Amino acid sequence: MTWTRVATAAVLIPFVVGLVVWGSTAWVALALALVVVLALFEYFSLGDAIGQRAYRFWTATCALLLVYVQWLTAIEPTYQLAGGLSLHRESDDSRQGCLACRRHSSFSCWALRY
């Protein structure tokens, strides 16, 4: 049992380090989502063994939504609008200029730029 874990770690650690160092944010988020879903289903099978039933679909859906929202905060989308305007999200670092963002404690704010 211990050698199986050591062999798995020997194979997966270089893969994970390579993914984090050279992979895009989307690939890291997809890998994280896969690990989260696999861990959830293993946890659900442990619960089934002792007679506890879980809401598998909704729990997995919410977990994937959390990963998706975290991925959205890592990217900076910009949308081109008519008249030379662009709509982009400003992160916490640039909230000093946005009065609406200073009033509430959101993580980001959408702003129009000329």
Side-chain angles (χ1 to χ4, degrees):
M1 177 91 162
T2 303
W3 287 109
T4 306
R5 291 181 183 199
V6 170
T8 303
V11 171
L12 289 181
I13 288 175
F15 175 74
V16 170
V17 169
L19 179 69
V20 169
V21 171
W22 293 295
S24 69
T25 309
W27 283 108
V28 173
L30 284 172
L32 176 67
L34 178 67
V35 169
V36 165
V37 168
L38 289 174
L40 273 175
F41 286 135
E42 182 177 356
Y43 181 71
F44 293 150
S45 67
L46 290 172
D48 284 340
I50 61 171
Q52 300 290 323
R53 294 202 49 219
Y55 295 105
R56 293 175 184 245
F57 175 75
W58 292 113
T59 307
T61 301
C62 289
L64 291 175
L65 275 173
L66 285 173
V67 172
Y68 177 68
V69 168
Q70 288 298 314
W71 175 72
L72 278 181
T73 61
I75 61 171
E76 292 289 334
T78 301
Y79 302 102
Q80 295 298 324
L81 304 174
L85 293 175
S86 64
L87 180 69
H88 70 50
R89 186 177 64 210
E90 292 184 357
S91 61
D92 287 334
D93 298 337
S94 59
R95 287 193 344 180
Q96 294 85 12
C98 183
L99 291 175
C101 290
R102 281 191 257 161
R103 283 190 227 127
H104 58 80
S105 60
S106 69
F107 293 109
S108 62
C109 177
W110 287 92
L112 282 173
R113 289 267 171 110
Y114 298 100

